[in-house]
Amino acid sequence: MEILKGTFAFEGIVVGRIFLDKKELSNKGITALLDEREIDGEIERFRDSLELSKESLERLKTSLAGKIGEKDLEIITAHLMILDDPVYISDIEKYIQKNRTKAEDSVKIVTDKYISLFNKLEIPIYRQKVLDIKDVEKRIIKNLNSKKNEWADLNGKILITEEILPTELLNMCQENIKLKGIVMEYGGETSHLAILAKALEIPTLMGIKNIFSYDWKKDVILDTTEQNSCVIIEPDEKTLEEYKDKIEKFNCKREEIEKSAFLPAVTLDGVNVSLNMNISGKTTKEEIDAVTPDGIGLLRTELLYMKNNSFPDEEEQIASYNDIIKNFDEKDPIIIRTLDIGADKQLPYFQMKNETNSFLGLRGIRFSLSEKNIFKTQLRAILRTAYGRNVKIMYPMITNINEIREANELLKEVKEELRQEDKKFKDDIEVGIMIEVPSAVMMADAFAQEVDFFSIGTNDLTQYILAADRLSETVSDMYDSYNPAVLRAIYIVKQAADKYGKSVSICGEMAGEQKAIVAFLSMGITNLSMVGGSILAARALVRSLDYTSLKNVKEQILQCSDSNKIKEILKKYI
Ligand code: PEP
Ligand code: MG
């Protein structure tokens, strides 16, 4: 028996047969050179496979509509755009013509050039692009060979693989192939693949290094619960017995979660917890109604700017914000965060200065204050959207008090302009800041006197406190939000806010994690904002906790100096 630990994307416990996917993706070298007379036919064959690829993606999109969220289907649109990219297509055609290589080889060689170009750019956003283009490449090559359904053998099995691409997963879903689980080497917990695995509810374990160096036997136990996250190769009788029990308990818990979907998020001793949703783009009414959030705790506005060809104007922004918030009641709190561009989030139409370390460079509020007209347009749009609604405004990446003052000064100016223009807007809008850097923690008591609320961004706070890049796989072990330094920082912020009667919420990924919810409630933080997919489980957990008795948990975790011990303490409550 061997136990391999990893990180989970979707929780579950399954026992089953494995499917080892050792397929070779690497270059096998050029297969054969074409005769001059074959070139036109080969280009034709390539074009046919492009058409087939597009048709199959369109079919996939139609058949999955309604089954998985609109947001998750955007990946198909991205792939269709690559298949329509005139530069990419003509590069391949020219390659076939010039080098007399077969379509398969030409697709591979040209695509590899793009991949190595994107990799060299070292801009994290291009990592997703690399996956997209790899995925498209495989689809074109598959259609060149028009292979039969290669997934049939996978039905009901646990896939062991280096990496599976998002549309491969979507294809299986379309072909009604039901994977029992996935174990993979690739470790991107926040990748599109992890998000899809969650949407398709497949227990998924990520980050098993050198996955094919293990002696995989036929059957495994795959445990992707937050408590364990491991795969057990060749489990012994005793372990199998124990797992029968664990599976039963897990299923009971899941039923509880489903039952509590429309019940209030109140602890056993009657404390209300506000569970809000993080939204980045268009989200349908069905997606929202399925989890009934109390409001939007973080509306990231970057996507609206990123998908455009130029900075969105005031009216375009108002339409876009209204489109998102129309699915909520007028009284529901909606926190719109001003543009948090820079670092991993770049605009295609605005060339940022090259910085050695862009995460420490011009991002968030720093960018907005350096481009005042762009910032003022957004402030006007938010103020006008907020009219008659419970909309609040939030500034990201605040590191010093002057940034708050300068931003508020601009807000005042913009209000005056709107007044002069006789435009309707929310004059008494609440203003808050994100706490995501160490200086904001240290200065929280001073900042609390300047704003109405704090929202703690644990994604960035963790990376800046621990000096560990949130996107790097190399230091992913160090990027640990349960590090006592992070938890102590959160508590310092809570105390500072309490002193001045200001509210605190959490809006980083951690807000949706079960262990973290126990920690936050123990510190008296009862306002959380998370991805929609975590809300039901969070609600069920809140309903099972006794708020008063969690006070001693706070004492215990704040005294701990080891994150593993902290996790052990918190695990007991979930
Ligand atoms: C955070 O840093 O925790 C946060 C919520 O902001 P983002 O993930 O958009 O940087
Ligand atoms: Mg952040």
Side-chain angles (χ1 to χ4, degrees), residues 225-272:
T225 57
E226 192 173 329
Q227 292 93 323
N228 283 325
S229 296
C230 68
V231 59
I232 307 175
I233 303 175
E234 223 185 358
D236 57 28
E237 279 306 316
K238 188 168 156 267
T239 312
L240 279 168
E241 263 321 298
E242 280 168 14
Y243 263 91
K244 268 193 198 145
D245 225 40
K246 281 191 184 167
I247 291 174
E248 205 179 303
K249 280 202 189 121
F250 182 81
N251 290 339
C252 283
K253 195 174 148 194
R254 189 153 275 176
E255 272 172 33
E256 283 302 310
I257 289 175
E258 275 157 21
K259 272 195 244 154
S260 68
F262 300 101
L263 297 171
V266 183
T267 61
L268 293 172
D269 50 343
V271 175
N272 273 308

Side-chain angles (χ1 to χ4, degrees), residues 497-516:
D498 282 351
K499 193 166 158 200
Y500 294 97
K502 303 293 161 78
S503 63
V504 178
S505 62
I506 312 271
C507 68
E509 292 309 301
M510 222 185 157
E513 289 173 23
Q514 300 266 297
K515 293 191 289 293

Side-chain angles (χ1 to χ4, degrees), residues 260-413:
S260 68
F262 300 101
L263 297 171
V266 183
T267 61
L268 293 172
D269 50 343
V271 175
N272 273 308
V273 176
S274 178
L275 298 179
N276 301 283
M277 192 164 170
N278 288 353
I279 291 186
S280 304
K282 201 169 177 315
T283 308
T284 62
K285 184 154 171 39
E286 290 71 45
E287 285 170 79
I288 293 163
D289 288 350
V291 293
T292 59
D294 293 318
I296 304 179
L298 169 64
L299 200 166
R300 290 182 170 100
T301 56
E302 295 78 70
L303 206 69
L304 166 67
Y305 286 73
M306 283 159 82
K307 68 174 196 211
N308 260 31
N309 294 323
S310 57
F311 284 102
D313 66 23
E314 191 173 322
E315 299 302 329
E316 202 178 343
Q317 287 191 47
I318 295 174
S320 161
Y321 302 148
N322 275 331
D323 202 32
I324 295 172
I325 70 174
K326 69 170 189 262
N327 297 318
F328 288 81
D329 283 346
E330 273 175 21
K331 288 201 181 63
D332 290 346
I334 308 284
I335 300 179
I336 305 184
R337 179 174 77 179
T338 61
L339 187 61
D340 184 19
I341 213 71
D344 57 328
K345 296 176 222 156
Q346 297 285 328
L347 300 176
Y349 47 86
F350 186 90
Q351 186 59 46
M352 298 275 244
K353 280 218 179 80
N354 245 345
E355 295 176 291
T356 323
N357 194 336
S358 59
F359 270 108
L360 303 182
L362 196 72
R363 62 167 298 204
I365 194 72
R366 302 172 181 184
F367 174 81
S368 294
L369 293 176
S370 74
E371 295 290 337
K372 293 205 173 56
N373 286 338
I374 291 163
F375 189 38
K376 279 172 80 175
T377 305
Q378 186 173 35
L379 293 176
R380 286 174 62 100
I382 299 175
L383 281 167
R384 290 179 60 198
T385 308
Y387 181 72
R389 309 248 350 185
N390 188 11
V391 168
K392 309 171 193 207
I393 204 165
M394 178 158 75
Y395 308 133
M397 272 294 287
I398 292 288
T399 50
N400 72 62
I401 207 155
N402 291 333
E403 289 165 339
I404 307 175
R405 290 181 178 160
E406 214 182 317
N408 278 343
E409 209 40 57
L410 288 169
L411 187 67
K412 220 159 96 190
E413 245 178 60

Side-chain angles (χ1 to χ4, degrees), residues 58-323:
E58 291 290 1
R59 267 202 312 277
L60 187 60
K61 201 169 167 184
T62 319
S63 72
L64 290 173
K67 284 191 200 154
I68 69 166
E70 239 178 73
K71 214 166 40 231
D72 299 315
L73 285 178
E74 277 173 14
I75 188 155
I76 300 183
T77 313
H79 291 189
L80 281 167
M81 279 165 73
I82 300 175
L83 285 166
D84 266 331
D85 186 330
V87 182
Y88 178 57
I89 297 169
S90 99
D91 275 0
I92 295 172
E93 292 186 359
K94 277 189 209 143
Y95 199 91
I96 298 174
Q97 199 137 36
K98 198 165 156 218
N99 300 287
R100 293 197 286 125
T101 42
K102 290 191 71 170
E104 287 87 340
D105 297 324
S106 311
V107 170
K108 175 110 197 53
I109 293 165
V110 172
T111 312
D112 280 353
K113 260 200 258 169
Y114 276 76
I115 291 174
S116 81
L117 188 80
F118 288 155
N119 280 336
K120 265 199 213 116
L121 288 176
E122 281 186 358
I123 298 172
I125 203 169
Y126 282 103
R127 288 185 201 163
Q128 183 59 45
K129 272 208 188 335
V130 167
L131 285 184
D132 286 341
I133 199 162
K134 266 192 200 171
D135 203 331
V136 169
E137 173 197 24
K138 280 176 79 180
R139 183 173 293 274
I140 301 174
I141 294 177
K142 183 179 164 219
N143 282 320
L144 277 167
N145 300 316
S146 52
K147 260 204 239 152
K148 286 263 169 305
N149 175 9
E150 54 188 308
W151 307 116
D153 286 349
L154 262 163
N155 208 9
K157 301 219 175 99
I158 297 169
L159 173 67
I160 314 289
T161 183
E162 271 179 352
E163 179 181 23
I164 176 165
L165 300 168
T167 63
E168 289 183 302
L169 212 52
L170 290 173
N171 263 322
M172 286 183 207
C173 173
Q174 189 209 17
E175 287 169 24
N176 278 327
I177 306 294
K178 288 219 163 17
L179 277 182
K180 201 166 195 178
I182 303 173
V183 181
M184 63 181 159
E185 181 155 337
Y186 175 68
E189 271 176 76
T190 52
S191 66
H192 212 104
L193 185 82
I195 295 165
L196 263 188
K198 268 187 217 169
L200 298 171
E201 303 190 346
I202 305 170
T204 300
L205 188 72
M206 315 182 91
I208 305 294
K209 297 207 171 114
N210 302 319
I211 197 157
F212 293 123
S213 63
Y214 299 98
D215 187 14
W216 291 95
K217 294 287 184 323
K218 266 196 219 141
D219 295 301
V220 297
I221 296 175
L222 176 60
D223 178 348
T224 58
T225 57
E226 192 173 329
Q227 292 93 323
N228 283 325
S229 296
C230 68
V231 59
I232 307 175
I233 303 175
E234 223 185 358
D236 57 28
E237 279 306 316
K238 188 168 156 267
T239 312
L240 279 168
E241 263 321 298
E242 280 168 14
Y243 263 91
K244 268 193 198 145
D245 225 40
K246 281 191 184 167
I247 291 174
E248 205 179 303
K249 280 202 189 121
F250 182 81
N251 290 339
C252 283
K253 195 174 148 194
R254 189 153 275 176
E255 272 172 33
E256 283 302 310
I257 289 175
E258 275 157 21
K259 272 195 244 154
S260 68
F262 300 101
L263 297 171
V266 183
T267 61
L268 293 172
D269 50 343
V271 175
N272 273 308
V273 176
S274 178
L275 298 179
N276 301 283
M277 192 164 170
N278 288 353
I279 291 186
S280 304
K282 201 169 177 315
T283 308
T284 62
K285 184 154 171 39
E286 290 71 45
E287 285 170 79
I288 293 163
D289 288 350
V291 293
T292 59
D294 293 318
I296 304 179
L298 169 64
L299 200 166
R300 290 182 170 100
T301 56
E302 295 78 70
L303 206 69
L304 166 67
Y305 286 73
M306 283 159 82
K307 68 174 196 211
N308 260 31
N309 294 323
S310 57
F311 284 102
D313 66 23
E314 191 173 322
E315 299 302 329
E316 202 178 343
Q317 287 191 47
I318 295 174
S320 161
Y321 302 148
N322 275 331
D323 202 32

